[in-house]
Amino acid sequence: MKPSSLKTFRTIALVSGASFVFAFSLVPLYRVACEKVFGIKLEQGPAGEAQVAGLAVDESRTVTVEFDGTVNSKLPWKFKPTRLSMQVHPGKLYEMNYVARNVSDHAIVGNAAPSVAPSTASTFFNKTECFCFTEQLLAAGEERLMPVRFIVDPALPDNVTTLTLSYTFFSNDAATARIGEGVHAPAAARTAP
């Protein structure tokens, strides 16, 4: 191999290796930036008992929680909250329901992506139970109540008086295809949460 070819090969190998390392470091860097720098909560599981057990109810304070629900254009569902807002006391457990309806002529699996605004307050909004933690299967024409149970952390900054909990449902095409092929949906998707 000529020295110039060897140098080119080494440069290509070095750039390829650096690109590979950079690509795999993006996920942890994204997590650190969102959670530590911007205060955006990325965890998708329920708040554990340890997280909410020590929370004292602050009866002297009320926070308005607004609710919003949308559906990605590729998903033939209707989805909305049963009410648009509620007044809550930080530290107290509340339940809210959304209604989802499959308006298509076949079963479809969907997944809900939650968000809380303002994003800096999302770490103070704890969901203890939510339909967003699992795939949701709706038969053709099926309508279902989908509950979410939550606690607003009393440590929520005093200047935050309104939170908005928003969900967007997306079609899970891979899970829907498995249903169409006769493969059973995961148990969580077949039952209401």
Side-chain angles (χ1 to χ4, degrees), residues 5 37 47 77 85 110 115 182:
S5 297
V37 177
W77 285 12
S85 68
S115 67

Side-chain angles (χ1 to χ4, degrees), residues 49-106:
E49 286 183 33
Q51 281 180 279
V52 296
L55 299 180
V57 177
D58 184 353
E59 296 283 345
S60 68
R61 181 177 179 199
T62 58
V63 175
T64 301
V65 179
E66 298 173 334
F67 304 98
D68 182 42
T70 60
V71 177
N72 178 275
S73 62
K74 294 182 179 182
L75 182 63
W77 285 12
K78 301 283 186 191
F79 177 69
K80 63 181 182 179
T82 57
R83 59 193 290 188
L84 297 178
S85 68
M86 69 170 47
Q87 298 291 313
V88 304
H89 294 291
K92 186 174 179 181
L93 179 66
Y94 290 89
E95 181 174 313
M96 170 59 193
N97 288 301
Y98 282 75
V99 178
R101 183 167 52 95
N102 180 353
V103 296
S104 77
D105 61 356
H106 60 281

Side-chain angles (χ1 to χ4, degrees), residues 18-189:
S19 298
F20 181 79
V21 169
F22 178 72
F24 276 94
S25 68
L26 284 178
V27 172
L29 289 173
Y30 177 78
R31 283 196 160 285
V32 168
C34 286
E35 293 180 354
K36 304 296 182 198
V37 177
F38 299 109
I40 300 169
K41 188 182 205 178
L42 295 178
E43 137 267 309
Q44 294 296 312
E49 286 183 33
Q51 281 180 279
V52 296
L55 299 180
V57 177
D58 184 353
E59 296 283 345
S60 68
R61 181 177 179 199
T62 58
V63 175
T64 301
V65 179
E66 298 173 334
F67 304 98
D68 182 42
T70 60
V71 177
N72 178 275
S73 62
K74 294 182 179 182
L75 182 63
W77 285 12
K78 301 283 186 191
F79 177 69
K80 63 181 182 179
T82 57
R83 59 193 290 188
L84 297 178
S85 68
M86 69 170 47
Q87 298 291 313
V88 304
H89 294 291
K92 186 174 179 181
L93 179 66
Y94 290 89
E95 181 174 313
M96 170 59 193
N97 288 301
Y98 282 75
V99 178
R101 183 167 52 95
N102 180 353
V103 296
S104 77
D105 61 356
H106 60 281
I108 299 177
V109 178
N111 288 90
S115 67
V116 175
S119 60
T120 55
S122 66
T123 56
F124 301 97
F125 193 92
N126 300 296
K127 294 183 291 296
T128 62
E129 184 178 328
C130 182
F131 54 88
C132 63
F133 299 146
T134 58
E135 296 174 344
Q136 298 298 318
L137 169 64
L138 291 182
E142 181 181 0
E143 182 174 292
R144 181 184 314 145
L145 276 180
M146 296 188 173
V148 57
R149 291 186 181 91
F150 64 91
I151 298 173
V152 174
D153 192 316
L156 178 73
D158 290 337
N159 66 328
V160 179
T161 58
T162 302
L163 296 170
T164 302
L165 175 62
S166 182
Y167 290 98
T168 301
F169 251 106
F170 293 91
S171 178
N172 185 329
D173 296 336
T176 300
R178 287 193 307 268
I179 301 302
E181 295 168 358
V183 178
H184 293 292

